[in-house]
Amino acid sequence: MEDDMEGIELKPASMRRTFTLRNNVARQAAVNFMPSRKVAHTGTLRSRRANSEHNALLEASMSDAPDAADKQADIIVREMEQHHQLMEDNPLSEELRREALRDLPQGLTMKRNVRAKLSASVSLRSKQRPISVFKRMKYRISFTWKKSRDSFRDFVFSIELWYESIRNIEGHLGSAVGSYFHLLRWLFGLNLLLSILLISFVVVPQALHTGGTNGTSGISFLDFISGTGALEDTPLLYGHYHDGDTGAGPLRYDMAFAYFFTMGCAYLLFFGVLCYRTADSYRRHFIEPAGGGGGGGGGGVRARLAAKLFCGWDFGVASPRAAALAARALAHEFRELLNEQNRKTEAASFWVRLGRRSTNVVITTIVLGLIFGVQYGLWLLLSVDTFTDHREIYISLIITAVAAVCPILLNFIVKLEFYEARTAFYVTLARTWLLDIGTLILLLVFWTRSDMPCWENRVGQEGYRLVMLDIPVSLLLLPAIEFIRGLMFNFNVVKTAPEFNIAYNSLTLIYNQSVLWFGMLFSPLLVVAVTIKFLLLFYVKRESALRACQTGKKVWRAAQAQTVLLMLVTLSLFATLFALGSLFLRSPSPHCGPFRRYASALGVLAEGALRLPERAGLRRALLFVSRPGAVAFALLALCVSVYIVRARSGAQQSMARLLRRMLQLQAKDKDFLLSAIEKVSNGEWLYSPKSEEYGADSHTWKYLHEVRKPSNAGYHFDVSRLSHSFLERPRSYAKENRPNSYQTDKQKSNEDGDTDSSFSWQGSSSYLNQTDAEKR
Amino acid sequence: MGQGKSQFTEEELQDYEDLTYFTKKEVLYAHQKFKALAPEKVGHNKNAKLPMAKILQYPELRVNPFRDRICKVFSSSNDGDCTFEDFLDMMSVFSDNAPKAVKAEHAFRIFDFDGDDMIGVSDLREVIERLCGPELKLSDSEIQQLVQNVLEEADLDDDGALSFAEFEHIIDKSSDFCHSFRIRL
């Protein structure tokens, strides 16, 4: 190791480093005996590192002895036996033991060995006593829960869809592209579940009620695409649904109830799932890496380069070509980081920064203006009354074209601005999303405002058309372009192979999903269409990714981008819920759909399910709760609680910063003390304190000259209360500075006469005093 | 040794399930993969020891810049040869279900080339050289600068090497570690 160390340029503290490195094993041993390392690990049971440190020591001492493994196991067992939670003889601690074993960084053989020893030790310790019924119940429940969870995982593994395909893609294109396919698969699963839910509770009862034979013969291609004509009166659209009871005899099935509650459950359930997932992902990928009190990277230590070094390689890559590309991308990125660091010395001047900022602001304003301009144009287009046939189809075509082209345009525009690569990506995503969601909300608003007899059908048709018209774009056009570019690359017409554009493709997914959220309420079968589309999309994308595309030249940070995409899906669902809540729930059209009996869709809940008109008390209570005053109060209370939580988190952040600072200081203290101990044990302290070696600012020098200085009053005060043998120590100091106390001390010690134990102290301190005197 | 039948008893599977992050089905699947590396040898003895060269035929390992280190870290005989249990161990650590701390522990050992329980300057150089591949060489001074920068960022106690705690700190700050330190079965 020292040879390697000499090979490079070292920092000023190099000498100390080589020295400390040499003593590392011994130091580590000393550190392991510190109280903080001996504290029982509660909860997380993270004893493994301590073990492996012991093992490192052990391996150093007896390398390949035959019983080394056995002894190692003994050490681990001893370590684990100190945790009482682990060693009890009940199912709970058995489970804990199992987990602790699993988390051991050892091979299977070792784990087995340890387990055998542990169980012997447990049965030795256990006192057989009957456990209470309640406890037995608890254990049984937790056991069953665990069992069922395991078998559920087993089941999931055996039905996991497209497992090999995604693995293959990850092998060829890296896990970033894989993350797109994971998103696709997840959305597909979600929509599949949704379709099952809607079909079984809404579509099938309605079909049974209508009685099957529905003239589905005369559907033209245009009708099929736009959902008009003969499709108008099918379960595809809201208006078709019956508003009363269906079913025969005593079994009644209220369609209005079914429609309302199924949709409500579907929306709220998936909103909950999405929120949970997004929050979880956000916590894992944004909050935790930022560190407890980081607060914008101020307090925490950011180790970008080191993180790139250790997390840079994607271990899932399996094809040599992808590996070579990944290596090149990494090397490129390292170089870029170095350049950036070298450039950083010349900080941008104020005016340059101002110029950049203002460019960003101006372009953002222009882009926002464009987005609203496009939407205003759309509004005008919608309200123009022309008498061409299939006017709606043209409008939908325009929307689809805008949705397909705009991301590319926005991606180009963002290059004119001064953002970091990652921020630029997020900015583009946000703008595209804004455009998409704005368009959808606009459509909804337009149709609610229109005086069409059954405007819900129009919205449903619009959603259906958008989904259908997007099919040729995302299923045919884009893959075709990718294939052609791939072919051109293969025949050396162009130099670069097409990259798999994760951002654009994910945006397409989000767009489709947003259309689905908006259209689902007015067109229950839209879910089925989107599900089938995603299914096809997976196969098409898989082929085009594997055959035509290559990994990107830049390293794509999958985890955070994934979170942002999820967030967008959740946000569009939120926007949908908001829009539907404010527009639809109050005023469904009076002559069609399942809610035509009620004044508003909420009436299903109020009049149908709760029967409010008959229950005056409940109605009064609800009226009271929904009064503006009550709502305002609730809002105010929410605001206050948010404020309190915020204040608390702020306080905790500053506390964390403080603690982190303390931790750093403590680490330094520890380091200092350890080297001091080392010196003492090497004898350097006593016999050869080369004081000229320490600069005036070294800790040791300060220690020698300030802390141990005789004029240190606190020190002296303490000492005067100690037993006589220690009193010898300050005596030599006292010679110079405190003659009085010296007198009394000397008298005392003479009376006692027992000073043997203080000789060494006396020697060392008087020696130090001499050097002090010499210095002066 | 029927093709369709498992080579494992129920107890063995339970045992593996207890000690790794896999379910029984996944264990069997892992064994299929292991068997595909050397069908005859594993067919005779389900826990046969395969030489490192054979293990490295596993696609993800074949192109991995740290392949020999991975094998050595997981090999129970410390020479890179792996039995099925070692292979299972490896896959279990690389699986999605393994907690970050366990992954970090093994990653630390993989990057610790000289085995002194510290990632020192020589280890860092080695990591960089392996990461950037054979054809595209960073110059010596660039590598040196990189090493210097990494130590400045991450070496909190200034001893010229990264201890496990410091390494874990880096890992904790990185959101991508769990994503990248993963091999699917």
Side-chain angles (χ1 to χ4, degrees):
Chain A
M1 157 138 288
E2 275 104 63
D3 298 354
D4 297 326
M5 293 290 294
E6 276 152 24
I8 60 151
E9 191 189 288
L10 291 163
K11 289 183 183 175
S14 58
M15 290 313 290
R16 193 167 63 82
R17 273 189 191 170
T18 7
F19 178 73
T20 47
L21 276 180
R22 201 180 296 140
N23 288 302
N24 237 330
V25 178
R27 284 173 72 115
Q28 204 60 56
V31 169
N32 283 339
F33 279 108
M34 288 187 173
S36 63
R37 301 292 175 107
K38 291 278 164 195
V39 171
H41 307 261
T42 47
T44 49
L45 295 169
R46 291 196 41 207
S47 58
R48 48 187 168 271
R49 189 65 204 167
N51 287 337
S52 77
E53 269 155 11
H54 276 256
N55 295 340
L57 291 178
L58 201 76
E59 275 159 20
S61 58
M62 41 176 211
S63 52
D64 275 327
D67 55 347
D70 208 43
K71 288 210 170 144
Q72 213 168 330
D74 275 339
I75 288 181
I76 297 172
V77 170
R78 225 174 300 138
E79 193 95 29
M80 285 173 112
E81 276 172 353
Q82 290 174 1
H83 309 304
H84 297 294
Q85 273 176 310
L86 277 180
M87 299 309 290
E88 273 157 47
D89 189 25
N90 60 36
L92 189 72
S93 70
E94 204 175 302
E95 185 53 38
L96 283 177
R97 267 204 301 277
R98 205 180 85 121
E99 268 165 29
L101 264 178
R102 210 158 50 169
D103 289 352
L104 273 183
Q106 301 290 346
L108 273 176
T109 359
M110 176 65 72
K111 284 184 189 169
R112 219 172 267 146
N113 203 341
V114 170
R115 187 174 60 176
K117 285 182 189 214
L118 263 187
S119 59
S121 144
V122 168
S123 57
L124 208 78
R125 288 171 178 220
S126 76
K127 302 163 230 122
Q128 285 297 335
R129 64 182 163 179
I131 47 177
S132 68
V133 180
F134 173 69
K135 259 196 174 164
R136 207 181 308 151
M137 196 71 175
K138 206 175 80 184
Y139 293 147
R140 192 167 295 164
I141 288 172
S142 71
F143 215 65
T144 333
W145 163 243
K146 226 204 72 50
K147 268 258 167 75
S148 58
R149 213 179 45 193
D150 275 359
S151 58
F152 177 72
R153 261 188 60 201
D154 224 20
F155 173 69
V156 164
F157 178 71
S158 58
I159 60 156
E160 201 173 333
L161 200 59
W162 302 324
Y163 181 85
E164 275 296 320
S165 304
I166 290 183
R167 187 172 168 272
N168 201 3
I169 289 164
E170 281 189 336
H172 280 85
L173 296 164
S175 59
V177 176
S179 69
Y180 162 77
F181 284 93
H182 277 288
L183 182 67
L184 176 52
R185 183 179 69 177
W186 191 68
L187 287 177
F188 172 75
L190 201 77
N191 291 341
L192 193 69
L193 217 70
L194 211 54
S195 347
I196 292 172
L197 199 71
L198 290 190
I199 287 183
S200 49
F201 287 113
V202 176
V203 179
V204 167
Q206 177 65 32
L208 287 179
H209 174 71
T210 355
T213 49
N214 214 324
T216 46
S217 49
I219 298 178
S220 72
F221 176 69
L222 268 182
D223 281 346
F224 178 68
I225 281 198
S226 59
T228 51
L231 277 179
E232 188 95 43
D233 195 27
T234 54
L236 177 68
L237 293 176
Y238 170 88
H240 175 75
Y241 286 87
H242 178 58
D243 68 329
D245 297 348
T246 68
L251 291 169
R252 52 191 287 277
Y253 191 87
D254 194 317
M255 270 317 288
F257 275 25
Y259 205 91
F260 187 84
F261 287 115
T262 313
M263 286 294 177
C265 283
Y267 273 120
L268 291 181
L269 186 73
F270 285 105
F271 187 60
V273 169
L274 273 170
C275 277
Y276 177 76
R277 242 186 104 109
T278 314
D280 188 50
S281 176
Y282 185 76
R283 185 175 55 76
R284 264 188 295 139
H285 299 315
F286 280 89
I287 298 180
E288 277 174 10
V301 187
R302 282 183 78 213
R304 273 168 70 199
L305 194 61
K308 283 220 166 97
L309 203 61
F310 296 125
C311 314
W313 188 261
D314 184 356
F315 281 66
V317 165
S319 87
R321 201 174 66 154
L325 277 174
R328 200 172 307 152
L330 272 174
H332 182 73
E333 197 168 349
F334 285 146
R335 253 195 209 130
E336 220 165 53
L337 269 177
L338 273 185
N339 285 340
E340 202 177 294
Q341 218 146 34
N342 292 341
R343 237 184 300 125
K344 215 171 241 168
T345 44
E346 31 176 299
S349 77
F350 172 72
W351 291 109
V352 173
R353 267 183 296 152
L354 188 72
R356 287 180 179 174
R357 283 274 162 79
S358 48
T359 324
N360 289 354
V361 169
V362 167
I363 292 189
T364 308
T365 328
I366 292 175
V367 167
L368 286 182
L370 273 179
I371 290 177
F372 286 115
V374 165
Q375 280 165 8
Y376 184 65
L378 189 67
W379 181 274
L380 289 184
L381 203 66
L382 279 168
S383 39
V384 164
D385 259 334
T386 45
F387 296 97
T388 45
D389 283 346
H390 301 295
R391 180 176 74 99
E392 324 85 34
I393 277 213
Y394 295 124
I395 291 176
S396 305
L397 262 179
I398 290 170
I399 296 177
T400 308
V402 166
V405 173
C406 268
I408 302 171
L409 211 68
L410 290 172
N411 201 14
F412 175 73
I413 287 175
V414 92
K415 284 188 184 140
L416 301 176
E417 295 168 81
F418 300 95
Y419 288 121
E420 272 180 50
R422 188 179 284 192
T423 327
F425 170 67
Y426 293 150
V427 166
T428 321
L429 275 188
R431 287 171 183 172
T432 319
W433 181 80
L434 202 65
L435 180 74
D436 289 346
I437 220 71
T439 313
L440 290 175
I441 289 183
L442 180 111
L443 285 175
L444 190 64
V445 171
F446 179 82
W447 288 115
T448 40
R449 292 268 173 91
S450 71
D451 303 325
M452 295 291 269
C454 196
W455 59 266
E456 287 93 344
N457 270 0
R458 304 282 153 232
V459 182
Q461 278 170 347
E462 200 77 61
Y464 180 72
R465 264 199 304 273
L466 288 179
V467 169
M468 293 306 265
L469 287 176
D470 187 56
I471 285 179
V473 178
S474 53
L475 283 186
L476 296 175
L477 193 64
L478 294 177
I481 292 174
E482 273 170 0
F483 262 109
I484 291 168
R485 280 208 55 190
L487 276 181
M488 277 160 81
F489 172 70
N490 283 344
F491 290 112
N492 282 329
V493 184
V494 285
K495 282 274 154 51
T496 51
E499 284 177 17
F500 189 90
N501 193 337
I502 305 166
Y504 185 81
N505 282 306
S506 313
L507 272 174
T508 324
L509 287 187
I510 291 176
Y511 169 68
N512 274 299
Q513 196 64 31
S514 319
V515 173
L516 171 64
W517 294 140
F518 266 91
M520 189 170 82
L521 183 60
F522 307 112
S523 163
L525 281 180
L526 188 65
V527 186
V528 182
V530 174
T531 311
I532 294 171
K533 185 176 168 183
F534 279 1
L535 180 71
L536 294 176
L537 196 64
F538 182 86
Y539 289 105
V540 171
K541 281 288 162 199
R542 187 184 70 179
E543 287 311 303
S544 81
L546 283 181
R547 282 169 204 273
C549 292
Q550 262 189 7
T551 345
K553 275 186 223 60
K554 287 221 172 108
V555 182
W556 171 274
R557 299 286 148 208
Q560 297 202 342
Q562 204 60 20
T563 312
V564 174
L565 292 177
L566 258 182
M567 220 182 278
L568 289 184
V569 176
T570 315
L571 271 180
S572 33
L573 183 53
F574 178 73
T576 316
L577 285 180
F578 185 74
L580 289 181
S582 54
L583 293 173
F584 171 72
L585 286 183
R586 280 177 190 286
S587 56
S589 44
H591 302 300
C592 71
F595 305 132
R596 67 192 98 154
R597 258 196 302 165
Y598 302 98
S600 76
L602 272 180
V604 180
L605 195 66
E607 294 163 33
L610 296 176
R611 293 208 193 82
L612 282 188
E614 299 159 27
R615 298 175 186 166
L618 189 61
R619 192 181 55 191
R620 234 176 291 133
L622 279 179
L623 270 180
F624 177 76
V625 167
S626 62
R627 266 187 345 186
V631 173
F633 177 76
L635 266 180
L636 212 67
L638 260 180
C639 285
V640 168
S641 57
V642 166
Y643 177 76
I644 290 174
V645 169
R646 236 188 87 83
R648 270 182 65 183
S649 94
Q652 271 161 0
Q653 263 180 24
S654 60
M655 192 66 198
R657 219 171 296 139
L658 204 75
L659 285 175
R660 186 175 295 133
R661 178 96 189 101
M662 262 169 75
L663 212 62
Q664 279 168 359
L665 289 178
Q666 298 253 315
K668 279 194 183 143
D669 284 358
K670 201 155 73 183
D671 196 53
F672 165 69
L673 285 178
L674 276 173
S675 35
I677 291 170
E678 246 166 49
K679 284 199 184 115
V680 170
S681 60
N682 287 352
E684 289 174 41
W685 190 275
L686 291 179
Y687 305 114
S688 58
K690 297 172 192 142
S691 41
E692 55 287 348
E693 198 184 75
Y694 306 110
D697 58 340
S698 102
H699 288 298
T700 320
W701 192 86
K702 279 185 192 152
Y703 178 68
L704 286 177
H705 288 259
E706 284 165 25
V707 182
R708 296 196 55 166
K709 212 154 65 176
S711 59
N712 190 320
Y715 184 72
H716 187 77
F717 177 73
D718 271 343
V719 155
S720 62
R721 288 162 185 247
L722 287 175
S723 73
H724 60 274
S725 60
F726 285 100
L727 285 173
E728 293 299 319
R729 185 150 51 125
R731 187 167 63 181
S732 48
Y733 292 130
K735 262 180 210 162
E736 286 172 32
N737 295 338
R738 294 181 183 267
N740 291 339
S741 68
Y742 165 63
Q743 289 293 332
T744 50
D745 283 348
K746 184 145 197 187
Q747 279 166 10
K748 264 191 207 162
S749 61
N750 281 347
E751 281 163 23
D752 290 346
D754 178 14
T755 53
D756 283 355
S757 56
S758 62
F759 279 150
S760 62
W761 282 110
Q762 195 175 10
S764 71
S765 50
S766 58
Y767 181 80
L768 280 170
N769 258 343
Q770 278 172 23
T771 53
D772 270 14
E774 280 165 23
K775 278 210 156 191
R776 280 173 205 140
Chain B
M1 208 135 312
Q3 218 37 356
K5 274 205 171 170
S6 155
Q7 285 177 310
F8 296 95
T9 62
E10 187 62 23
E11 289 91 68
E12 279 172 319
L13 284 180
Q14 185 61 47
D15 197 39
Y16 287 140
E17 194 183 60
D18 282 350
L19 294 176
T20 64
Y21 297 102
F22 285 137
T23 63
K24 287 174 190 146
K25 280 222 172 81
E26 285 168 322
V27 170
L28 288 176
Y29 193 65
H31 191 251
Q32 272 177 30
K33 294 257 168 175
F34 186 69
K35 203 171 173 182
L37 295 173
E40 285 136 52
K41 217 169 171 187
V42 183
H44 285 300
N45 171 14
K46 66 187 183 229
N47 204 11
K49 180 179 256 185
L50 299 185
M52 184 152 86
K54 267 272 186 292
I55 296 289
L56 289 183
Q57 310 230 310
Y58 195 76
E60 273 86 354
L61 293 181
R62 195 176 50 205
V63 299
N64 195 302
F66 307 106
R67 48 188 169 260
D68 53 320
R69 285 298 305 161
I70 297 177
C71 281
K72 289 221 174 84
V73 163
F74 285 98
S75 154
S76 49
S77 48
N78 290 324
D79 54 0
D81 301 352
C82 289
T83 61
F84 170 63
E85 295 198 346
D86 298 337
F87 179 76
L88 192 68
D89 236 0
M90 183 191 300
M91 286 301 143
S92 152
V93 168
F94 278 114
S95 78
D96 267 336
N97 294 315
K100 208 174 192 176
V102 174
K103 283 179 182 249
E105 173 77 44
H106 284 92
F108 184 78
R109 286 206 224 160
I110 288 171
F111 294 135
D112 181 17
F113 291 89
D114 50 15
D116 62 351
D117 219 26
M118 293 287 252
I119 296 185
V121 173
S122 61
D123 296 326
L124 285 174
R125 289 183 82 95
E126 182 86 33
V127 169
I128 294 171
E129 272 164 20
R130 284 182 181 222
L131 270 181
C132 293
E135 72 232 47
L136 201 83
K137 279 253 180 228
L138 291 175
S139 71
D140 219 39
S141 66
E142 275 176 321
I143 294 185
Q144 196 171 313
Q145 208 182 343
L146 275 174
V147 169
Q148 203 82 335
N149 285 345
V150 168
L151 283 181
E152 254 163 49
E153 277 178 355
D155 182 18
L156 302 179
D157 61 1
D158 262 352
D159 61 356
L162 302 181
S163 66
F164 177 73
E166 286 154 352
F167 181 77
E168 208 181 19
H169 185 79
I170 300 171
I171 298 298
D172 271 343
K173 295 277 162 198
S174 161
S175 55
D176 287 315
F177 179 70
C178 283
H179 258 257
S180 61
F181 199 76
R182 175 177 73 182
I183 297 178
R184 281 174 203 282
L185 257 185

